[in-house]
Amino acid sequence: MKKKHHHKKKPSFIKKWSSKLHLWFGLSVGLIVFIVSLSGSMYVFKDEIQNQLRKEAIYVKAETIREKPLSIEVLKEKITLELNEKFPVSSVEISLGKNKSYKFLFYEKDKKAWNYFDEVKINKLIYVNQYNGNILGIYNEKYDLFPILKSIHWSLLLKSDWGKYVVGIPVILFIIMLVTGIILWWPKNKNARKSRLSFDWKKVKSWKRKNYDLHNVLGFYASFIALLLSLSGLYFAYSWVKNSFNFALSGLAELPKEKEIKSPDSLLAKNNSVFDLTILQTQKLYSKSSSFRIPLNGKNKKGKELENIPVTAYGKNGRFSERNQLIYDKYSGKLLSNKPHQKLTNAEKYANANYDVHVGSYFGIFGKILWFLTGLICASLPVTGFLIWWGKRKKQGKKTL
């Protein structure tokens, strides 16, 4: 009687090509995925760590608190004289909590540079007691761990304008790897699916099998959040990704552009207390906000001269999603425009929230913990994946001998 031969069923066309793409892309961009994932994961708790390390600078002593703080112009002049920097003060962030110090920022970029350290001419944060003008802390953010981690994550320490594409292309390939990974993981029946959702190492002694399970099980659980992380990262890098989000959320590819408001008081002499007037009005309008930021050098992030004074009021501490935008006349301090968060379109709201989504703060401390763990798992996938490939390669090599 002839024995029946059970031939192993060949994988489907989709699984076959998913396996090839998963391997090719993994070997080609695995190192970049490892670096970007690890640096991103380390960046997640930036605020929590800095708030602890900078406690003495963030909070002013209770006995120094007065009814009114000193004028912004007075504080600005005092900082400029004490630090003797060749660059002007860029902006100030004011907390609505009376016990928190003002944060003055010196920031300047070199457009011709090719790497992070040359591109950032200065990035210095000064904590100042607004009641007596004493400097509580000076932090050279250019060489601080977290801005460096952010640059590694964003552009591998290359110039931010084009370095984002060096990271962006591997992220697109990583998304394909995540999708193909789910296809390869997905079993044909429920019983097989259960075994791929958890570790069962009671009888497993081989490190190769354990490594394989780590790649499969952890990769599956992390893949869905990793997709959100990847897409929210690409939102920053590529306009076509941002436009796709805008269209899906509001039916228009591009966000409505803010119209330049011509100053009605341009012929008047500039009020020396113009910044103090903007502070008082902003505090009245958004008394429940956490803080607000005012540019002081008359320029935007791109170095273009500002027609007026744009003020951004943040709704919650450590969050950028709830953002209210005000515009004041730069000569008289008169309020020209007030655009609260509630009146924004869905696309505009998401534009403000994308950073919070990307770092997990949008979902609170639980989101940050989950994002941190997902980042670590994503960093492990190229390592465990490489070991799987290397083990198979060595096995095949032995067979040919």
Side-chain angles (χ1 to χ4, degrees), residues 149-164:
L149 282 173
K150 186 179 179 181
S151 181
I152 293 170
H153 185 74
W154 172 258
S155 62
L156 297 180
L157 291 177
L158 299 170
K159 186 180 179 181
S160 57
D161 286 350
W162 53 267
K164 62 185 179 182

Side-chain angles (χ1 to χ4, degrees), residues 191-343:
N191 292 329
R193 193 176 303 159
K194 285 180 182 178
S195 66
R196 296 189 188 187
L197 288 169
S198 60
F199 302 108
D200 187 11
W201 288 346
K202 290 178 182 177
K203 296 179 182 179
V204 177
K205 293 181 180 180
S206 168
W207 72 267
K208 287 183 180 180
R209 178 65 199 184
K210 289 179 179 180
N211 178 71
Y212 181 83
D213 287 345
L214 282 171
H215 189 80
N216 270 7
V217 178
L218 293 180
F220 173 75
Y221 283 118
S223 58
F224 300 101
I225 296 173
L227 279 169
L228 180 58
L229 282 167
S230 301
L231 288 170
S232 57
L234 290 175
Y235 181 96
F236 289 120
Y238 296 106
S239 58
W240 59 269
V241 176
K242 187 174 184 177
N243 292 342
S244 299
F245 271 77
N246 294 338
F247 187 79
L249 292 167
S250 295
L252 294 171
E254 292 186 10
L255 295 173
K257 290 182 179 179
E258 293 292 333
K259 291 180 180 178
E260 285 284 355
I261 304 172
K262 288 190 177 181
S263 171
D265 300 327
S266 59
L267 298 176
L268 298 176
K270 188 173 182 178
N271 190 328
N272 290 330
S273 302
V274 66
F275 292 120
D276 300 311
L277 289 170
T278 64
I279 290 169
L280 288 170
Q281 290 179 84
T282 304
Q283 286 173 332
K284 285 179 183 177
L285 288 166
Y286 295 102
S287 58
K288 292 182 179 179
S289 292
S290 64
S291 65
F292 53 95
R293 185 183 293 272
I294 306 172
L296 299 177
N297 62 351
K299 293 179 180 179
N300 62 14
K301 289 180 179 179
K302 294 180 179 179
K304 187 183 175 184
E305 197 74 28
L306 290 168
E307 292 292 326
N308 297 291
I309 302 172
V311 177
T312 306
Y314 301 105
K316 293 182 180 179
N317 192 34
R319 293 267 293 270
F320 296 96
S321 50
E322 290 183 27
R323 206 181 300 183
N324 311 288
Q325 191 69 50
L326 306 101
I327 298 174
Y328 295 94
D329 187 281
K330 69 178 180 180
Y331 298 98
S332 65
K334 187 189 293 179
L335 180 65
L336 302 176
S337 173
N338 178 16
K339 197 173 184 180
H341 170 77
Q342 292 80 3
K343 289 188 178 180

Side-chain angles (χ1 to χ4, degrees), residues 64 70 75 78 82 127-137:
T64 66
L70 295 173
L75 294 170
K78 193 175 187 301
E82 283 195 40
Y127 291 81
V128 179
N129 185 322
Q130 61 270 33
Y131 304 105
N132 57 23
N134 289 346
I135 293 175
L136 304 177

Side-chain angles (χ1 to χ4, degrees), residues 38-40 50 56 60 68 81 95 97 104 159 233 236 240 264 273 305 309 318 335 354 373 384 400:
L38 188 61
S39 58
Q50 285 189 341
E56 295 296 318
V60 300
K68 286 184 179 180
L81 287 170
S95 173
F104 287 85
K159 186 180 179 181
F236 289 120
W240 59 269
S273 302
E305 197 74 28
I309 302 172
L335 180 65
N354 189 65
L373 294 173
T384 53
T400 56

